Amino acid sequence: MSTREHVLEALRDAGAAGVSGESLARMLGVSRVAVGKHVATLRELGYEISAERGSGYRLDAIPDVPLPAEVRRLVRNPFWNRFEGGIETGSTNDDARELAVAGTEEGAVVLAAVQHAGRGRLGRQWESPQGGAYISVLLRPPVAPAEAGSLGLAIAVGVARGLESLGVCPSVKWPNDLRLAEGKLAGVLLEMSAESDQVTWIVAGIGLNVTRPARSAEGAAYLSDLVPDIGSARAAAAALDGVAAEYAVWLDQGFEGVRDAFIERSALTGQQVVVSDMLGNVRAQGVAEGVDDEGRLLVRGRSGVEAVAAGEVTLRRS
Ligand code: BT5
């Protein structure tokens, strides 16, 4: 924990009684000026901290943003061992990549309440205004790059399972979207580095829409439409717990262990779909039937069932 987080913890512990700057300084072994600076930064982050002569500082309100200090307290799975980030950044995937390149062990999490350059797959934009949780996690699975293809599906299932613990049941849309009713609730972006036949690191980015912003993204769904007071830190923590659990299954059993959970939640099964590649060329069309043991989408077309490893799915309206 950073000194700033220690200041926050001490303020939480003090509750309504508050705690003086002098006691904080003594407790943390820093100067009173340093304590004042940390309090100022916490206020900038949205923490309401009153200062009164005599009683000192008092924590009056915590902001509803997925700040590392808030999410860390709510996460239960010990797999997540480091929480970084802050109110805003360019892209949490870039920040997590920096951690990866610096040799950070797996289980690190980067969080942001706003992203200025949030991205989706294939260079698309991920709209990231305040009201969402933008999360990237660092993983180092001991697998070959080709085996990592199904990890995005496992992460999507993990996010879905995590949110189920909050009473929201999203569906998954192959390959790695989460949907609520007809809208996109979350997307997963996997970025990877590998050496010969071994993955070095994977950064999995999760963009999760929590509270509907003034200008909502086209076709987007928001958790708060179903659970008004869900809170973005709580949503992020639930998603992280779900992802850690599903990642453990995937490591242990491969995608086979995740497959049924994916199919149960799949929004596509039985639907008429068109799967296109990144250039827009149609790869397969027909009825989506589920996924195989490698996470490939099975599409029954005129000439039988085809397994598609990558692509964009659109529903064909009959
Ligand atoms: C994804 O891409 O769905 C993956 C999104 C991953 C975002 C996370 S946030 C944390 C981490 N840091 C990053 O910079 N990225 C990751 P894709 O399947 O390509 O979907 C992108 C498309 O979704 C866009 O072209 C829009 O049509 C739509 N979209 C953009 N922002 C959205 C939002 N907030 N909610 C719903 N749909 C959105």
Side-chain angles (χ1 to χ4, degrees):
M1 264 205 276
S2 64
T3 310
R4 190 173 76 206
E5 285 181 79
H6 279 296
V7 170
L8 186 56
E9 281 311 295
L11 287 169
R12 276 192 227 277
D13 291 346
V19 55
S20 72
E22 202 179 324
S23 315
L24 280 172
R26 219 176 319 113
M27 235 187 287
L28 304 173
V30 295
S31 70
R32 280 180 62 176
V33 174
V35 168
K37 281 190 185 152
H38 288 302
V39 167
T41 312
L42 288 168
R43 283 182 178 139
E44 275 168 28
L45 291 172
Y47 291 91
E48 287 174 30
I49 300 169
S50 53
E52 273 164 42
R53 227 172 260 239
S55 59
Y57 296 113
R58 195 182 61 212
L59 181 61
D60 294 326
I62 294 163
D64 177 31
V65 278
L67 289 167
E70 300 306 319
V71 176
R72 179 206 295 277
R73 299 172 66 238
L74 298 168
V75 161
R76 272 175 284 187
N77 198 306
F79 175 74
W80 305 118
N81 54 49
R82 178 169 167 175
F83 293 80
E84 300 283 337
I87 287 282
E88 53 189 334
T89 190
S91 157
T92 53
N93 260 38
D94 289 341
D95 302 336
R97 174 193 293 253
E98 272 181 34
L99 290 177
V101 171
T104 306
E105 66 177 288
E106 72 168 354
V109 178
V110 180
L111 296 147
V114 172
Q115 289 185 125
H116 298 294
R119 59 176 179 269
R121 296 176 299 142
L122 307 171
R124 287 187 286 241
Q125 188 196 353
W126 184 257
E127 293 183 31
S128 312
Q130 183 150 359
Y134 311 109
I135 311 165
S136 293
V137 298
L138 171 58
L139 306 172
R140 295 188 186 275
V143 300
E147 289 171 60
S150 63
L151 179 58
L153 282 69
I155 304 248
V157 170
V159 174
R161 279 198 198 269
L163 297 177
E164 285 161 17
S165 74
L166 300 179
V168 181
C169 298
S171 57
V172 292
K173 178 178 173 241
W174 187 92
N176 36 19
D177 281 2
L178 277 88
R179 300 185 68 80
L180 212 50
E182 288 302 294
K184 179 158 168 170
L185 175 68
V188 177
L189 170 70
L190 244 55
E191 292 175 329
M192 167 164 72
S193 167
E195 257 168 40
S196 60
D197 59 350
Q198 165 77 49
V199 166
T200 322
W201 53 259
I202 290 179
V203 166
I206 302 156
L208 177 60
N209 296 326
V210 184
T211 307
R212 186 173 282 278
R215 235 198 74 228
S216 45
E218 206 187 319
Y222 296 83
L223 284 177
S224 64
D225 291 348
L226 287 187
V227 187
D229 301 324
I230 200 152
S232 56
R234 201 154 65 98
L240 283 165
D241 279 333
V243 169
E246 215 57 36
Y247 178 56
V249 173
W250 182 86
L251 277 181
D252 192 40
Q253 301 168 32
F255 186 70
E256 270 181 83
V258 177
R259 183 168 167 245
D260 287 350
F262 188 92
I263 292 172
E264 274 164 30
R265 291 167 179 77
S266 173
L268 294 182
T269 308
Q271 302 273 355
Q272 287 280 349
V273 296
V274 179
V275 190
S276 330
D277 65 18
M278 57 191 288
L279 298 172
N281 303 315
V282 174
R283 283 287 325 278
Q285 54 185 318
V287 177
E289 289 204 331
V291 288
D292 68 10
D293 283 352
E294 290 170 33
R296 295 179 300 184
L297 182 67
L298 299 173
V299 181
R300 179 174 292 280
R302 285 213 193 103
S303 48
V305 177
E306 206 176 329
V308 192
E312 289 298 312
V313 178
T314 41
L315 290 176
R316 206 166 57 182
R317 309 266 169 218
S318 43

